[in-house]
Amino acid sequence: MNKTRKLMGFAAALAFAMVMLPAAAFADTTQYDLFVNGEQFTSEKLTIECGEGTATYDPATHTLTLDNASITNAIDYGGIHSNLTGDLTIALQGNNSITLDDNMGIMAAGNIEITGPGNLAINVTGENKDGISVAGNGNVSVRETSLAVNAPGGIGIASDGTVSFDNAQVTSAALHAGIDAINLIIENGSVVDISATEDGRNAAFISPRDGATGGNIRISNSNVMAKSVFPGLFADGNLAVNGASVQSTSAANSALWASGDLTISGNAHVTLDGKYPSGCNGNFTVYAAEIDAKNTNVENIPAISDNPTIGNDFDLTCAVAVDSEGATINLIEHDGAEQARGFLHLYKNIHFVTGEKSATYSFPFTKVVKKGGDIAPKPQEFELEISNVGVGQIEDYTDVTVTATVTTNGAGEYEGLLTIQGPKSQIRDITCEGFCVREKNTGVANWTYSDAVYQIFCNEYEIATDGQSAIQFSYDIFPVQLVETDNGAFYEKTQDTPVASMTFENVYTEKAAPAANDKPATDNKPGANTKPAANNKPAAGNIPQTSDNSALAIEFAVLLMAAGALTIAIAAKKMRKRRDVR
């Protein structure tokens, strides 16, 4: 019986203790679908040791931070293996590395972004083992960091989505492709070096798959080097290079190729080196650029597949070719700039430069000077200024020159021209939605300045002459005034009919100083002999009794009365003091 009681007491105590334990003690440990260095992250283990560094996961932000991590192990595929359904950010601190034999560097089921002030080096070996592989239409973004990938048996960076480099330093060397993705974007000062060594492969193979759209390469304001056996850069869609430096090399094929359109602009510098012509199946258009294309084939094969179209606002400024016999030809000097535009695709080596055309728009104005004072208007320089331009502010256009001055000399009318000169595209941006013109008030004394404001609208149109087209422009000038509305102040026309010229009126208002002969004559001063004679003064005892003397007597009497009153007041005060003493 006692034993039974003891057991019952123990059970009761155990039950009480279980009730008192916190609920968290019974909670299940959360396991995250993220593995690093052969270990899985859980709610109880958010930091994994990686050599002398660490890998830390923040499930709230889906951020994996590598801090001097050295990853050398893998459970399944990948030193970093993510099956997370959301995005994964890999933040780099210090020097980090993934080094594996016969395995992948990073495997992910969704989007990944690699960023941070540190760097990451991935070295993996093994047949078909990729440095980074992202499935499920996942994108790979490398932003403001440094990444180096070496995958001699596979692909450097493979993605079923878009690979983008934003202000990043990236090297990707592999067997089949440095980058294999649906789209490729390289921008904002990135420096990218990609290569592939397998026969028939590309440093960048960009093509849509599984019915997805894409196949486009866009490179802007960056430095790119691509080298492979087949085209270093291959786009199954369009390829655009804007303001970048691109070197693309092929050991056995075209240096660069696009199945769609090829566009080079923004003063890009493109160097092409291959054994077959570079180009595209679509439209090859060059704006502002420098292109140096070379064909290394022993056969006499041109460096460019088809003649590029040079944009309407651009000119061919340099074109030097090397023919099959090694002779150098200056095409512009030999054939003229217009003819040379049609010969760029005929030579094994061609180096040509295009630049934006300059445009000049001029608009008449009349300066009216009037005399508003006593003096004729002096010579004066007047200047106009423009504002409310179509795109941005006029101060943004440092390559554009605006001149609108006229020097006057006296009253009258003076004709002048407002001239806007600069790159044609910038001139178009300034004038595309109209712009305002007013006189600049420089504050010169004696001048009033005009408060007239005009708005000018420009129109471009194409005319055909002798079988060739040329762009002309026309304009309309309207006087305007500033009108306050619920949405702010805007200039509105004061009339519906345009004027032929702008008119600005100024008035010179200086007054003449008084003439010298208007001053009092100096010889009209009283003579010395006109002073009263000494013997004409009244005698001391014979002062005449005048009304002024009577007034003096009255004032003297008033003073005597005031003195008497003051004496009485003082006496009364002394008497009060004596009473106070008693």
Side-chain angles (χ1 to χ4, degrees), residues 173-382:
L175 177 68
H176 301 299
I179 300 171
D180 186 331
I182 290 180
N183 294 295
L184 174 61
I185 300 172
I186 304 174
E187 60 187 354
N188 295 330
S190 294
V191 178
V192 178
D193 189 340
I194 51 178
S195 60
T197 57
E198 178 74 359
D199 188 18
R201 298 292 189 265
N202 311 99
F205 178 78
I206 309 302
S207 177
R209 60 208 68 175
D210 300 329
T213 59
N216 302 314
I217 297 177
R218 187 176 80 236
I219 304 171
S220 61
N221 301 314
S222 297
N223 192 331
V224 177
M225 292 158 284
K227 184 176 182 180
S228 53
V229 180
F230 266 38
L233 297 174
F234 174 80
D236 208 12
N238 301 322
L239 197 162
V241 179
N242 180 23
S245 174
V246 174
Q247 301 176 50
S248 189
T249 302
S250 170
N253 206 282
S254 305
L256 171 151
W257 192 265
S259 296
D261 296 336
L262 173 59
T263 304
I264 303 175
S265 61
N267 292 312
H269 189 176
V270 178
T271 302
L272 306 174
D273 192 330
K275 290 193 173 181
Y276 284 92
S278 297
C280 62
N281 292 331
N283 297 317
F284 183 7
T285 307
V286 177
Y287 297 97
E290 181 175 359
I291 298 176
D292 193 351
K294 180 188 298 183
N295 193 317
T296 57
N297 201 314
V298 294
E299 303 294 334
N300 185 21
I301 300 174
I304 297 177
S305 65
D306 197 5
N307 195 56
T309 297
I310 299 175
N312 285 334
D313 293 343
F314 299 84
D315 282 323
L316 184 66
T317 60
C318 171
V320 178
V322 177
D323 63 15
S324 58
E325 298 178 355
T328 300
I329 306 171
N330 187 320
L331 298 180
I332 293 179
E333 291 183 358
H334 189 270
D335 302 300
E338 288 301 317
Q339 293 294 327
R341 292 164 71 114
F343 300 154
L344 303 176
H345 65 304
L346 302 179
Y347 297 90
K348 283 177 66 68
N349 297 344
I350 181 70
H351 174 247
F352 66 94
V353 180
T354 56
E356 188 172 3
K357 292 180 180 178
S358 178
T360 301
Y361 287 0
S362 295
F363 311 93
F365 69 90
T366 300
K367 171 61 58 182
V368 177
V369 174
K370 292 184 177 181
K371 178 182 176 183
D374 302 323
I375 298 177
K378 297 178 180 179
Q380 182 61 43
E381 182 181 84
F382 295 95

Side-chain angles (χ1 to χ4, degrees), residues 42-66:
T42 69
S43 56
E44 295 183 350
K45 188 171 188 177
L46 295 175
T47 298
I48 295 173
E49 293 186 0
C50 302
E52 296 182 358
T54 58
T56 303
Y57 178 59
D58 181 355
T61 60
H62 304 289
T63 300
L64 172 65
T65 300
L66 303 182

Side-chain angles (χ1 to χ4, degrees), residues 45-105:
K45 188 171 188 177
L46 295 175
T47 298
I48 295 173
E49 293 186 0
C50 302
E52 296 182 358
T54 58
T56 303
Y57 178 59
D58 181 355
T61 60
H62 304 289
T63 300
L64 172 65
T65 300
L66 303 182
D67 189 349
N68 291 299
S70 178
I71 299 172
T72 57
N73 299 306
I75 287 181
D76 190 3
Y77 283 106
I80 298 175
H81 185 186
S82 172
N83 285 320
L84 297 172
T85 56
D87 300 344
L88 175 65
T89 298
I90 301 176
L92 304 178
Q93 300 287 340
N95 300 319
N96 303 277
S97 64
I98 301 174
T99 306
L100 296 169
D101 292 330
D102 200 27
N103 211 315
M104 303 280 195

Side-chain angles (χ1 to χ4, degrees), residues 247-553:
Q247 301 176 50
S248 189
T249 302
S250 170
N253 206 282
S254 305
L256 171 151
W257 192 265
S259 296
D261 296 336
L262 173 59
T263 304
I264 303 175
S265 61
N267 292 312
H269 189 176
V270 178
T271 302
L272 306 174
D273 192 330
K275 290 193 173 181
Y276 284 92
S278 297
C280 62
N281 292 331
N283 297 317
F284 183 7
T285 307
V286 177
Y287 297 97
E290 181 175 359
I291 298 176
D292 193 351
K294 180 188 298 183
N295 193 317
T296 57
N297 201 314
V298 294
E299 303 294 334
N300 185 21
I301 300 174
I304 297 177
S305 65
D306 197 5
N307 195 56
T309 297
I310 299 175
N312 285 334
D313 293 343
F314 299 84
D315 282 323
L316 184 66
T317 60
C318 171
V320 178
V322 177
D323 63 15
S324 58
E325 298 178 355
T328 300
I329 306 171
N330 187 320
L331 298 180
I332 293 179
E333 291 183 358
H334 189 270
D335 302 300
E338 288 301 317
Q339 293 294 327
R341 292 164 71 114
F343 300 154
L344 303 176
H345 65 304
L346 302 179
Y347 297 90
K348 283 177 66 68
N349 297 344
I350 181 70
H351 174 247
F352 66 94
V353 180
T354 56
E356 188 172 3
K357 292 180 180 178
S358 178
T360 301
Y361 287 0
S362 295
F363 311 93
F365 69 90
T366 300
K367 171 61 58 182
V368 177
V369 174
K370 292 184 177 181
K371 178 182 176 183
D374 302 323
I375 298 177
K378 297 178 180 179
Q380 182 61 43
E381 182 181 84
F382 295 95
E383 184 178 359
L384 307 184
E385 60 184 357
I386 69 176
S387 62
N388 295 72
V389 299
V391 179
Q393 306 294 326
I394 188 61
E395 294 79 12
D396 301 333
Y397 296 91
T398 56
D399 295 332
V400 174
T401 301
V402 179
T403 56
T405 59
V406 63
T407 300
T408 64
N409 188 9
E413 294 187 0
Y414 301 85
E415 304 300 324
L417 283 178
L418 165 66
T419 301
I420 306 175
Q421 185 175 32
K424 195 167 186 179
S425 62
Q426 296 186 34
I427 299 298
R428 184 178 291 116
D429 287 343
I430 290 173
T431 61
C432 64
E433 296 179 6
F435 62 95
C436 291
V437 183
R438 64 169 66 90
E439 183 174 68
K440 184 181 292 186
N441 188 336
T442 55
V444 179
N446 300 316
W447 284 100
T448 63
Y449 289 85
S450 174
D451 58 1
V453 181
Y454 294 87
Q455 194 167 22
I456 302 178
F457 297 91
C458 299
N459 302 289
E460 286 189 353
Y461 58 94
E462 187 173 350
I463 61 172
T465 304
D466 298 331
Q468 295 185 352
S469 62
I471 302 297
Q472 300 291 329
F473 94 101
S474 62
Y475 59 86
D476 292 316
I477 303 174
F478 293 92
V480 294
Q481 64 181 3
L482 195 63
V483 177
E484 293 286 347
T485 70
D486 293 339
N487 296 322
F490 300 94
Y491 283 106
E492 293 185 357
K493 300 175 185 177
T494 58
Q495 62 186 56
D496 294 330
T497 304
V499 297
S501 176
M502 298 173 284
T503 300
F504 301 93
E505 182 178 294
N506 301 87
V507 180
Y508 191 69
T509 60
E510 185 177 3
K511 298 292 185 179
N517 56 7
D518 292 338
K519 297 180 181 178
T522 58
D523 56 355
N524 291 331
K525 295 180 180 179
N529 55 3
T530 61
K531 294 181 180 180
N535 55 6
N536 290 335
K537 293 181 179 179
N542 296 322
I543 299 176
Q545 299 298 318
T546 65
S547 59
D548 292 338
N549 294 331
S550 299
L552 181 61

